[in-house]
Amino acid sequence: MSTSTPHTAALADPEPGPGHDPDARPSRGAARTAAAALCAVLGTGLLAAAALTGWAERHAADRPPTPEAAYRTAASLWRAAPADTLFPPVLTGADSGPGGADRTWTRVALAPDSDCGPVLAPDWQAALAPTGCTRVLRATYADATHSSLIAVGMVFTPADATAMDGLRGRLTAPPAYGFADARRAAWTASVLPDAPVVVYAVSAFADGRTLEAPVPAEDAMRKNATGAVAQAGLGHEAKAVADRMEGTVRSLASPTPATASRGTAAAATATPATAAPPAAPGSAGAAR
């Protein structure tokens, strides 16, 4: 009896049947697998691109605008910003009064935006001739005791920073919105270095008294200043309200993410820029 391992015949590949095509395509299952893999790769790429775009947009939003961009934005605030944002219904000023007293002012009149000629005095028009004048916005505030009025204005120009710098030292006491020139007590006017805007404020006694001439707010704020205007703190009132208007222009022209979100919320309920609420009785009268 033999103990050798029997030879096993190798099975040959089956012969192709009739009609076999050696160039036939792979099965449908293989094609579907390849398509699914391609879609997965493309989907991953799209998600990565979307994430990168979102990061870039957030990063860009966190960056403040360039000084040039902020300057251009400031020039258009008279038509782009809501009236309640430019002239808030209530202003607060910590340490703004004489001796560091806190102050609060309520808006009692809001003028429609105006051409420059009808509302600016001739000497202001002459001073603004080299810069041009786009628009004037005005409002009037009363202090918490309703003993004083503060008229404030913003003069927008199309000029560049060099031309605006030429305005410094050339501006006189501005006209007020809501009361006569003879009632003006203290005034201030500031040419903003980073915006084509002049911000001014002029104060008055609410009881209607007239004065010889308005005095610069800085003079009325001096420690040794005397007279009714200084003693009533009307220099402090004009300067404090003007400072807040300047801060508003700067924050709107170059907003941080926090101020931008507040501005968006305020715009939803803001008074239109052309609205002119009536003045409070006995405080502010008709516009000039």
Side-chain angles (χ1 to χ4, degrees):
M1 180 175 174
S2 172
T3 59
S4 61
T5 303
H7 293 284
T8 304
L11 297 177
D13 291 335
E15 292 293 330
H20 172 72
D21 183 1
D23 296 326
R25 295 180 180 178
S27 67
R28 290 183 178 179
R32 288 172 180 170
T33 301
L38 179 60
C39 288
V41 172
L42 291 175
T44 302
L46 290 173
L47 289 174
L52 181 60
T53 300
W55 175 87
E57 290 176 349
R58 289 191 299 272
H59 186 65
D62 290 339
R63 290 199 308 265
T66 64
E68 294 78 11
Y71 194 92
R72 292 192 300 270
T73 299
S76 64
L77 289 176
W78 67 269
R79 65 170 178 268
D84 283 354
T85 303
L86 290 169
F87 300 115
V90 177
L91 296 173
T92 57
D95 305 326
S96 297
D102 295 341
R103 285 288 188 265
T104 302
W105 304 274
T106 301
R107 193 184 69 201
V108 295
L110 179 64
D113 63 280
S114 174
D115 291 333
C116 304
V119 299
L120 294 179
D123 53 352
W124 273 62
Q125 295 182 45
L128 289 164
T131 63
C133 180
T134 306
R135 213 72 176 162
V136 180
L137 306 183
R138 300 166 297 157
T140 302
Y141 288 84
D143 74 326
T145 64
H146 285 270
S147 61
S148 63
L149 299 173
I150 306 92
V152 63
M154 299 180 186
V155 180
F156 291 81
T157 83
D160 59 20
T162 301
M164 290 296 293
D165 192 57
L167 286 174
R168 301 183 191 282
R170 300 185 58 199
L171 300 174
T172 59
Y177 172 65
F179 50 85
D181 286 353
R183 294 176 56 189
R184 294 176 298 177
W187 67 278
T188 183
S190 177
V191 180
L192 274 60
D194 45 7
V197 182
V198 178
V199 172
Y200 67 82
V202 56
S203 59
F205 289 101
D207 60 11
R209 76 182 74 176
T210 60
L211 301 165
E212 289 186 6
V215 298
E218 290 78 5
D219 292 347
M221 293 170 63
R222 289 175 180 168
K223 187 175 182 180
N224 58 351
T226 59
V229 173
Q231 292 174 358
L234 292 182
H236 291 77
E237 302 272 2
K239 186 66 168 60
V241 172
D243 287 347
R244 275 140 190 82
M245 296 299 105
E246 291 182 33
T248 295
V249 171
R250 290 192 174 99
S251 65
L252 292 175
S254 183
T256 63
T259 59
S261 62
R262 287 198 299 268
T264 301
T269 58
T271 303
T274 56
S283 57
R288 287 174 54 87

